[in-house]
Amino acid sequence: MRLDRFVSKSTELTPQQVSDCIAQATVWVNGVAITDEASQVHENNLVQLNGQTLGPVDLSRLFLQRIVGHYSYTSARQRL
């Protein structure tokens, strides 16, 4: 997952605020300040923002939300 997305999903910061934090080198991955928003973060990386450790993103919650009566492409194909 991209670093900017990880920080955005792990905090209540807006994407612009996340971009600013990364540009100011206040985001650290495994003890190294990162200034590239597109850097990849993996589940075993330690990500910190202003010295606070950010928790992992629970991706399953992002995909479980569904509007009643609407099906995703995958679930619609499985029903055929």
Side-chain angles (χ1 to χ4, degrees):
M1 173 183 291
R2 285 175 52 116
L3 177 61
D4 55 351
R5 181 178 171 110
F6 181 90
V7 174
S8 182
K9 297 294 182 186
S10 299
T11 64
E12 294 183 5
L13 298 175
T14 65
Q16 182 59 49
Q17 291 171 321
V18 170
S19 179
D20 292 343
C21 287
I22 294 172
Q24 296 169 4
T26 59
V27 178
W28 292 61
V29 178
N30 297 329
V32 178
I34 304 294
T35 56
D36 180 14
E37 297 174 359
S39 294
Q40 293 296 309
V41 178
H42 304 284
E43 61 188 31
N44 59 343
N45 293 143
L46 174 66
V47 181
Q48 295 177 308
L49 173 64
N50 294 325
Q52 290 188 323
T53 301
L54 300 179
V57 177
D58 182 9
L59 293 178
S60 63
R61 289 183 16 181
L62 296 176
F63 299 112
L64 291 178
Q65 297 176 355
R66 184 164 48 166
I67 299 172
V68 176
H70 292 86
Y71 297 96
S72 68
Y73 178 76
T74 304
S75 65
R77 288 189 52 95
Q78 289 172 350
R79 296 186 73 177
L80 296 176

